[in-house]
Amino acid sequence: MNQQARLANLSRPGLAWEDIACRLECAERLAEAIADAHPDDAAQLMTAALLDHAARSPVGDVFLNAEEDARWWASIAPPHQLVAVLAATLDALGSKALHLKMRKQLFLTLWKSFPTADRQNFVDYAAGQGRGATE
């Protein structure tokens, strides 16, 4: 059995010793490659791999669609709960490695929530020309 076939069988229960050895060898090579990479590159590559893997993995609850469920909950939640969950979410995301594209999507969603005048005030503040972004 070739290595790819062994790797394909790894998700099945009752692994054979040769499959376990193959899996361990692959994991060791992966760990060495990650250790040899620059920390910034390793974080981005591991994040990309985890996101790709999560997209292919079955979700724990077959009825769960995170985006739809979040939209539904947000449509009925009172403002104080929305703010509390958003603040907790942003805190939890704080130091996690996220792709630039994901961070831009989060920023754009937040940016679009501001009125035009507040956006301009923020731009002016960021350029050192305004009184404050929160005024």
Side-chain angles (χ1 to χ4, degrees):
M1 181 181 292
N2 69 27
Q3 187 176 23
Q4 283 186 330
R6 284 188 181 129
L7 290 173
N9 290 328
L10 293 180
S11 62
R12 296 184 182 152
L15 295 176
W17 282 111
E18 63 185 20
D19 292 331
I20 293 171
C22 176
R23 186 174 179 173
L24 180 59
E25 179 186 330
C26 290
E28 287 172 346
R29 286 197 321 264
L30 178 59
E32 289 171 5
I34 292 169
D36 290 343
H38 186 278
D40 293 341
D41 299 335
Q44 291 302 320
L45 290 169
M46 289 185 296
T47 299
L50 289 172
L51 291 171
D52 290 346
H53 178 71
R56 292 190 309 264
S57 298
V59 179
D61 179 356
V62 295
F63 300 107
L64 175 68
N65 180 317
E67 289 183 20
E68 287 179 20
D69 289 351
R71 280 191 195 91
W72 172 81
W73 178 81
S75 74
I76 63 168
H80 73 280
Q81 286 182 354
L82 293 170
V83 170
V85 169
L86 178 59
T89 300
L90 292 173
D91 284 344
L93 289 174
S95 63
K96 290 185 170 54
L98 293 175
H99 287 299
L100 182 59
K101 180 181 176 184
M102 294 175 75
R103 291 192 305 267
K104 286 179 179 180
Q105 287 172 335
L106 289 171
F107 182 82
L108 184 58
T109 300
L110 187 59
W111 183 255
K112 286 179 178 179
S113 72
F114 292 114
T116 304
D118 287 341
R119 291 182 199 175
Q120 188 58 53
N121 286 343
F122 183 86
V123 170
D124 293 345
Y125 174 76
Q129 301 167 0
R131 294 177 298 155
T134 59
E135 293 179 13

